[in-house]
């Protein structure tokens, strides 16, 4: 396997797929479940506003857009600021398995007008889980588009006094869009078309590659070995811990420099 920067070059051992792989990330309560439903145009996942996360485990569902298969993975609360217990690492490992060989886009879901320190923490956790290069694949998706009341989203972003949001938008290459998750019919299809156009542009920018690293390769190897010797799962979980620890250390070193 030739050396490559994570997130830039596909591993030669990966099984290629034409599916568009999307992962929804962000803090609990931001509207990820409702956003999944909007992307798939069908209520595949439970969507209720709660203090606790709707999804305790990572979930996925598929749909199509203009003839292309779409795979949407919804994450549990692995992007919250909390201790790294066994359940968190198990969910991170499951998330990697669902996304093999790697996502084309990470949708950071946040509620319009409610970008807080929790969102900043969630973005930091995204980089701890997937690596610093994950930022290059992030699209910010604002929920509650209806709260704009017809005001252009670009105007809202340009004039916000939320410095943390401005900084993130800049780091993510000014890639953002908004959803009204109560929309249906033409309105729903139009906002989905805008998102897909942005994702298509991101794919072209990355020349068809996707976010990947060694753990995605390990996850695919585990899938291929399912049914083999007992203990492969434990070995994989060890690799999950090592990968996250390495990426956290890389972020600390980058911050010092």
């Amino acid at each position: 396997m030739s050396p490559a920067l994570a997130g830039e070059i596909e591993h030669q051992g990966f099984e290629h797929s034409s599916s568009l792989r999307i992962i929804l990330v962000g803090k609990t309560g931001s509207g990820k479940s409702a956003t999944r439903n909007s992307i798939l145009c069908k209520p595949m996942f439970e969507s209720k506003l709660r203090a606790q996360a709707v999804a305790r485990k990572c979930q996925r569902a598929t749909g199509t857009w203009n003839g292309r298969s779409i795979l949407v993975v919804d994450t549990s609360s692995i992007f919250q600021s909390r201790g790294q217990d066994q359940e968190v690492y198990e969910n991170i490992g499951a998330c990697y398995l669902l996304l093999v060989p790697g996502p084309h886009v990470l949708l950071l879901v946040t509620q319009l007008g409610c970008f807080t320190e929790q969102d900043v923490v969630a973005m930091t956790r995204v980089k701890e889980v997937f690596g610093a290069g994950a930022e290059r694949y992030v699209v910010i998706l604002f929920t509650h588009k209806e709260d704009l009341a017809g005001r252009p989203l670009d105007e809202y972003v340009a004039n916000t006094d939320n410095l943390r949001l401005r900084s993130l938008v800049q780091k993510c290459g000014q890639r953002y869009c908004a959803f009204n998750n109560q929309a249906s019919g033409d309105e729903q299809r139009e906002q989905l078309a805008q998102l897909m156009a942005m994702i298509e542009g991101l794919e072209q920018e990355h020349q068809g590659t996707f976010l990947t690293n060694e753990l995605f390769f390990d996850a695919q190897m585990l899938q291929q070995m399912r049914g083999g010797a007992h203990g492969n799962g434990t070995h994989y979980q060890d690799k999950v811990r090592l990968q996250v620890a390495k990426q956290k250390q890389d972020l600390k070193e980058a911050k010092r420099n």
Side-chain angles (χ1 to χ4, degrees):
M1 186 185 305
S2 59
L5 290 175
E8 293 186 350
I9 304 297
E10 301 175 18
H11 285 289
Q12 293 175 353
F14 279 144
E15 178 182 338
H16 294 271
S17 169
S18 60
S19 296
L20 174 63
R21 296 177 297 279
I22 300 171
I23 178 171
L24 303 176
V25 300
K27 67 183 181 184
T28 301
S30 59
K32 295 193 297 294
S33 296
T35 299
R36 292 175 302 195
N37 298 347
S38 294
I39 292 172
L40 296 169
C41 297
K42 50 187 176 182
M44 291 294 295
F45 298 87
E46 182 182 9
S47 175
K48 295 179 181 179
L49 185 60
R50 299 180 182 174
Q52 299 297 321
V54 170
R56 293 293 297 171
K57 303 288 184 181
C58 295
Q59 305 174 41
R60 74 173 179 180
T62 58
T64 58
W65 174 258
N66 287 346
R68 185 180 184 186
S69 175
I70 302 173
L71 185 150
V72 181
V73 172
D74 178 34
T75 54
S76 58
S77 53
I78 60 177
F79 301 109
Q80 302 303 304
S81 177
R82 70 178 196 177
Q84 299 297 292
D85 58 25
Q86 180 65 24
E87 183 182 5
V88 171
Y89 284 110
E90 287 177 356
N91 281 327
I92 292 172
C95 184
Y96 268 77
L97 286 166
L98 292 174
L99 282 165
V100 163
H104 294 94
V105 61
L106 295 87
L107 287 185
L108 178 65
V109 182
T110 182
Q111 185 175 333
L112 190 76
C114 296
F115 190 87
T116 68
E117 181 62 28
Q118 286 181 300
D119 293 280
V120 177
V121 169
M123 188 62 220
T124 299
R125 290 284 293 134
V126 167
K127 291 185 285 187
E128 290 175 354
V129 171
F130 294 110
E135 216 164 46
R136 300 172 53 242
Y137 293 82
V138 169
V139 172
I140 302 168
L141 190 146
F142 296 99
T143 58
H144 292 257
K145 178 182 179 181
E146 61 274 20
D147 291 348
L148 288 170
R151 180 186 178 190
L153 180 61
D154 288 340
E155 180 182 316
Y156 166 80
V157 173
N159 295 323
T160 183
D161 56 2
N162 191 321
L163 299 182
R164 292 173 296 193
L165 176 57
R166 282 189 179 184
S167 175
L168 181 61
V169 167
Q170 184 176 12
K171 290 176 182 177
C172 294
Q174 303 286 325
R175 294 184 299 271
Y176 56 83
C177 61
F179 267 23
N180 171 4
N181 285 322
Q182 303 301 316
S184 60
D186 290 344
E187 182 183 358
Q188 185 183 56
R189 287 188 288 271
E190 181 181 349
Q191 65 186 18
L192 182 55
Q194 292 173 352
L195 171 62
M196 290 302 171
M198 183 166 294
I199 292 175
E200 182 179 339
L202 186 61
E203 283 191 280
Q204 292 175 353
E205 179 183 332
H206 293 302
Q207 299 180 329
T209 62
F210 45 80
L211 176 65
T212 190
N213 57 35
E214 289 296 327
L215 188 55
F216 277 115
F217 184 73
D218 291 332
Q220 184 162 30
M221 292 298 293
L222 178 60
Q223 287 181 340
Q224 295 171 351
M225 294 168 62
R226 282 278 166 86
H230 180 71
N232 288 336
T234 301
H235 184 54
Y236 172 66
Q237 284 302 317
D238 290 340
K239 289 190 173 184
V240 171
R241 289 177 176 272
L242 288 172
Q243 183 75 27
V244 173
K246 178 182 180 299
Q247 288 165 173
K248 291 178 73 172
Q249 185 60 36
D250 289 345
L251 289 171
K252 288 180 181 179
E253 291 179 1
K255 190 173 182 179
R256 283 198 295 265
N257 296 334

